[in-house]
Amino acid sequence: MAMQSFDKLPLENALEDSPQLRSLVGVFSEDAQALRDYVTTLHQLSSKLVAAHNQLTSAYQDLAKHLKAYGTIKFPVNGDADGVVASTLSQFAKHVSEMSSWEHIVATQIADGAVYPLSRFIDTELHEMETMATLYQNAGTDLDRAITRYSRCRRRDPEQEHRESNEDVYVSKKKFHQMALHYYSKLNLLQYSRKSALLEPMLGLLVATRAHYNMGHDALVTPEVEDFLANISVCVKSVIEDQAKEREDTLELIDSIITQSQLMYYAEPPPDIASLPPDTTLTNKAGYLNVQRKYMGVMSSWERQFVFLEGGNLMSVVKGDAAGSLLLEVDLTTLVHATDTDDRRHVFQVATSKKSVTLQALNDRERDEWMLTIHNLAKDGGYVKDEKAAPASLFSGVGQFFADKFHAASAAIGSAPSTPTTASASPPSGTAASATMPQAAAIPADAPIVFDLLTSPEETFTLNLDSQNDSEQDVTDDGAEGKVVKQETDKFFTVRFLGSMGVNVDKVVSFIDGQAVVCEVMRRILAARAIHNVFSTMELHLSTSQSHLILSEPSTGNVCLRHSLSDVAYWAAHSENHKLVGYIVRQRDTEGTDTASFSCYVFEAEGSGTEICCALGVAAKTAYHQIVEKKTQEKKRKQETRLLLANIAQLPDIDDPPQVSSDGQFLILDGDLPGSTPRTPPVSTKSSQSTPARDPRKVTQEEDPESEA
C-alpha cells in the first residue's frame, strides 16, 4: 500500500500512541537519521577544505558532486516537494566546480563560514534529537510498567496500593505525553532546520570565497551571482522566521493539549471529577486493552495489546508488530458480559459458539463502552451496513444489552430494543411504531449548543425585578374574606447546568416524543462536552413559584433565568442516569412575545432528577388550578356586574343606565362624565351588594346568593 504524503506529526494524537502513530514516528526518525548522515558527510567534506590545503581542487570537486546528489536521495519525509533546495544546491555545485582551480589560502574563513554552522547543527539539533529519542523510549517503558502495576491491583489489595498505582499511571502517562509532544515537535521542526542547515553553510562558503579570492573576482562578481546570493539570503531569513513562528505556535499547542488532556492522564478519574457516560451508539472502537492468554487450559497471563474492530472481527496488535491478529469473529451468537477473572477489575468476556476472549479495560466507562460497541456490532451479524446512519434510538444497545445479559441472551440478540418507560401512563402500542425516531426531525442537525448561562448586569437586574413583582402578585386578596394565598419558594434543588439547544416540537409534546427528544439532547450535549473538552459546569438553584420556574445563583440569589410554567412543554429524567434531568420550554423575545420556538435545557442534579420532575409536576398542577380559579372568579364577577346593571336599570328614576369602568371596579354615573358635575361618588361593584333594587317578579330568588348584586 502506497504511503500518503505528510508534512507534520499530529501532536493531538500523541497520547493515543496507536500503532499507526508509532509507525509514523519511525518514519520521521529514519528521516532524521538520513539527514544526520547527509549533514555529517557535508561537514566532513567542508572540513576537508580546511585540512586539505594541497588537495583543494579535488575537495571542491567532491563537494560539488555531493551537492548535486541531494536531488537523487529518496528521503522518507519529502521536505523539498517543490525542489527548491535541490535546485539551489545544484546552483551551488556549479559555482563550487568553477572554484576547483583556485588557490585556497583562507582555511580559517571557510571554517568559520561553512564548517561551524554544520558543527553547531550536528552538536545541538541532531544530538538533542538522539537524546530526546532515548528519553521518549524510556518514558514509554515507564508507562507500560505503571499500567502493568495498576492492572495487577486486586480487589482485596489496600486502597493505598490502588491510589499509588493510579497516581503512578498518572505521572508516567503525563511524562510520556509531554516527552512525546516535545519529541514530535522536534521532528517537525527538523524539516525547517534542514533547509537552514544545508543552505547557510554553503552561503557562508561562497561569500568567504568571493571576499578572499581576487582571482575569482571576474567569475563571481556578476549580476547573476548577486541576484542568486540575495535570493538565497532572503530564503534563509524567511525559513528562520517561519521556524521561529512554528516553534511559538507549537509551544502554544503543546500547552493547550496538556491542559485539555488532564482527565485522560488518569486510568480511573477521581470521584470529584465529572465523568461522561459511555457512548451507546458506537459500532467501531479501538484502543489498548489487557488480553488474557491461557496456557494448557490452566495457567494464564495478561498482555497489553492494541485491540480494534474491523470488518466484523475483533483484532489485536502486539506492541512492536506492524500487522494485527484475529482474536474473535463477531456474529449473531456473540455474547459479552462483565466478569471477575483473576480478581481483576474492569474485566469483561466476549464469547461465541466457538471461542471466548477475556479482556480488561482501565475503568468501568471504557469497559461498558467496549461491551456496548461489540453488542451493537453483534446485532447486525458483525457487519456494519452504514456507519454514518443515525442509531434507531438513543437507547439502542442499552436496554437490550442489559436485558440480554441478565435474562435470555442467546434468544434476545438481534431484537429491537424496548422503548424506555417512566412512572406515568404508558403510550398505546400504535404510537410506538410511529415514533421510532422522533428526535431525528425534532432536533436540527446544525443546532448550536450553549454550555453556559451568560447574563449581563442589566438583564440580571431586570430578572430580579420581575421576580420581585411576581412575588408581590403571588400575594392576592381572596374576595370578601380577605384570605392571603402565597406559594412557598423556599425549597430549591441544586443543579449543574450542562447545556441547551433548540428543538423543533409543538406546544403539546407526546410522552414518547418528549422522552426521546430530551434524552437525545442529553446525549448530544454530553458528547459535545467530551469532544470540546468542556468539563466546567455552572451550579444553580432550581426553584418554582406560583407561575414561574426560576434558576438563581447559590451565592448571591440573583436570578439567571426564568420561565413561565405555562411555557414549559415537557420535562423528564434520564431512564439510566437519574441525575440527568431536562425540560423543553417555549422561547420568548425580550418583550415577552412568543417566538414559536422551543429549547431543551439539560441539568445534572445533585440529588435525584425524579424529585425535580415531581416538583415541576406539582407546580404545574398548582398553576393550572390557579388559572382555572382566576377565570372562574372573573366569570362570576361579570355575571354579578350584569345583574347589578339590570337591577339599576329597573329603578324608576334612572333614565340612562350607568357605565362600568374599564377595570370593572366602579360604576360611572351620568354626572361623572367629562364636562358635568358629579352628583354621587363612584360606586364600587364590590360594595354595591348592600342595598340592591329588587324585582317583585323574582322574590323567590331572595335567598339565592347568585341573585344578590
Side-chain angles (χ1 to χ4, degrees), residues 572-594:
H574 201 285
S575 60
E576 300 293 336
N577 187 357
H578 297 289
K579 287 183 175 292
L580 296 179
V581 63
Y583 61 83
I584 301 174
V585 64
R586 186 207 308 265
Q587 295 295 326
R588 298 181 181 271
D589 56 13
T590 56
E591 299 179 358
T593 305
D594 183 9

Side-chain angles (χ1 to χ4, degrees), residues 520-534:
E520 176 64 12
V521 171
M522 292 178 181
R523 187 192 69 81
R524 292 195 183 186
I525 290 178
L526 292 177
R529 280 181 166 268
I531 293 173
H532 299 286
N533 295 316
V534 180

Side-chain angles (χ1 to χ4, degrees), residues 484-498:
V484 178
V485 180
K486 185 176 181 180
Q487 178 72 17
E488 295 183 0
T489 58
D490 296 336
K491 185 176 181 181
F492 59 84
F493 300 91
T494 301
V495 296
R496 285 178 290 275
F497 179 71
L498 298 180

Side-chain angles (χ1 to χ4, degrees), residues 444-487:
D446 57 345
I449 299 177
V450 180
F451 295 120
D452 199 359
L453 295 177
L454 300 178
T455 56
S456 63
E458 292 80 9
E459 293 175 343
T460 303
F461 176 79
T462 303
L463 290 174
N464 291 329
L465 184 61
D466 294 341
S467 180
Q468 293 176 3
N469 295 336
D470 291 342
S471 299
E472 294 176 358
Q473 292 178 2
D474 287 343
V475 181
T476 58
D477 295 331
D478 189 18
E481 298 182 1
K483 295 182 181 180
V484 178
V485 180
K486 185 176 181 180
Q487 178 72 17

